[in-house]
Amino acid sequence: MRLFVAVPVTGAAAAELAALVGRYRALGWPVKWVGASHFQVTVKFLGEALPDAVAAIETALRGAVGSMAALPFHPDGLGGFPTTARARVLWAEYQTEPALELMADRVERACVALGFAVDGRPFRPHVTLGRVRDGHQLSSEAVAAWDAELLHEAFMVDQVVLYQSHLRAEGSRYDSLARFPMMSA
């Protein structure tokens, strides 16, 4: 099983991202755009795990986030990895608040205690919106347009989800295996 832990983007923030992707998809950029059902902020990629490990993962995640209060997640802009001009991935970034860093750290520690690898990179909350197709690059006009976009809609981080990812030729499918609610703010 290929697993990861994430926060789903909900409400007006998800609608804003869907509208943004729709506008740019219509421009015919050489990008494979992500569907709205995949709008999430990955907290921890676990990779391959045996099915009998799921119960222990669920227990660890419940302990890591169950006592944390829900909190707002504010947009911080658009960009690309490694840069927008040389983007392989286009994303929407969200502000890193101390409480979000704490949540990510607690999830990381809980998963490492189960034998999963340490990520080693700082938590950089973002939503992948598209992947530039192999052998292509964004035009300078596209880079300028993407970098000039502003996002306005925040959303509440009120749960963490354990997902299973199914890799398929037509694109990945994510199945929610378990949801871990956070305390109401």
Side-chain angles (χ1 to χ4, degrees):
M1 304 176 75
R2 189 170 191 258
L3 304 176
F4 67 97
V5 180
V7 172
V9 180
T10 58
E16 180 180 42
L17 293 178
L20 176 89
V21 166
R23 283 196 320 271
Y24 282 96
R25 180 179 281 128
L27 296 176
W29 287 8
V31 174
K32 182 175 182 185
W33 296 102
V34 171
S37 65
H38 285 42
F39 292 162
Q40 44 80 18
V41 175
T42 300
V43 177
K44 172 74 176 159
F45 179 73
L46 300 173
E48 291 298 325
L50 296 173
D52 59 354
V54 171
I57 296 168
E58 289 178 4
T59 299
L61 292 175
R62 192 172 293 107
V65 302
S67 63
M68 297 194 73
L71 56 142
F73 220 3
H74 298 280
D76 204 23
L78 300 178
F81 291 131
T83 66
T84 309
R86 296 182 302 124
R88 302 304 321 135
V89 173
L90 296 173
W91 46 256
E93 188 167 37
Y94 286 81
Q95 293 176 6
T96 306
E97 312 245 348
L100 291 169
E101 289 178 358
L102 175 62
M103 182 212 38
D105 182 66
R106 290 178 74 172
V107 168
E108 175 78 11
R109 289 175 186 266
C111 293
V112 167
L114 295 175
F116 291 97
V118 175
D119 189 341
R121 291 177 289 178
F123 179 56
R124 187 167 181 189
H126 68 278
V127 177
T128 297
L129 299 177
R131 290 177 174 76
V132 177
R133 297 186 190 280
D134 286 341
H136 291 88
Q137 191 173 350
L138 297 180
S139 68
S140 58
E141 294 82 12
V143 170
W146 190 254
D147 284 343
E149 282 284 347
L150 296 175
L151 296 175
H152 304 284
E153 299 295 338
F155 67 97
M156 286 301 290
V157 175
D158 59 2
Q159 66 178 324
V160 172
V161 180
L162 175 63
Y163 287 102
Q164 180 178 4
S165 174
H166 303 273
L167 301 177
R168 305 174 307 169
E170 63 274 12
S172 297
R173 186 185 87 226
Y174 300 159
D175 292 333
S176 169
L177 298 181
R179 295 179 180 273
F180 307 95
M182 298 166 77
M183 295 186 319
S184 297

